[in-house]
Amino acid sequence: QVQLVESGGGLVQAGGSLRLSCAASGRTSSTYAMGWFRQVPGKERDVVAAISWNGFQTYYADSVKGRFSISRDNAKNTVYLQMNSLKPEDTAVYYCAARWRDLKTTDQSYDYWGQGTQVTVSS
């Protein structure tokens, strides 16, 4: 079992930056691939970025490439999402998720989820 707690969301103006954190606890959380997803009301939950258990592989949605960066610190059991040049369309609830070992990009592939953190980007 892995528990995930996100933090770092908030309100920011367009062009600004935020860093989301996801603290993991539980059984061998450092061997889990991690993903960040986001969801707006009435729409499906979409992948934003993902990182393999060892950090060697990363994935980014086209909409965030060049603006967002995912990283992890296994010593702290924490995954980060640095979000720069934020746009109003980045407004969503952001979720952290974990799955065993291999990086995947669909939400159905992930077994553990955090409670979500709201990110609001004003124009």
Side-chain angles (χ1 to χ4, degrees):
Q1 195 78 358
V2 176
Q3 294 80 41
L4 304 172
V5 178
E6 303 100 333
S7 61
L11 173 64
V12 64
Q13 287 188 332
S17 298
L18 282 175
R19 188 176 81 156
L20 304 183
S21 299
C22 174
S25 60
R27 189 173 180 178
T28 59
S29 58
S30 62
T31 56
Y32 282 75
M34 304 295 292
W36 284 99
F37 292 77
R38 66 187 181 187
Q39 189 172 28
V40 297
K43 293 192 175 181
E44 294 183 348
R45 187 162 51 188
D46 294 325
V47 66
V48 175
I51 189 166
S52 60
W53 70 274
N54 55 12
F56 289 172
Q57 289 180 289
T58 57
Y59 169 86
Y60 295 95
D62 287 342
S63 59
V64 306
K65 280 181 182 176
R67 300 188 299 122
F68 290 12
S69 178
I70 189 171
S71 61
R72 67 187 299 160
D73 184 340
N74 283 348
K76 295 182 178 180
N77 291 324
T78 301
V79 176
Y80 305 97
L81 184 68
Q82 178 67 44
M83 306 186 295
N84 299 326
S85 301
L86 282 160
K87 304 175 180 180
E89 51 263 44
D90 294 318
T91 296
V93 177
Y94 283 71
Y95 296 91
C96 174
R99 71 177 309 279
W100 175 250
R101 299 288 285 202
D102 296 333
L103 185 156
K104 297 289 184 182
T105 60
T106 60
D107 60 352
Q108 301 96 318
S109 302
Y110 286 78
D111 302 306
Y112 304 101
W113 292 85
Q115 81 288 353
T117 185
Q118 176 71 46
V119 171
T120 303
V121 184
S122 63
S123 57

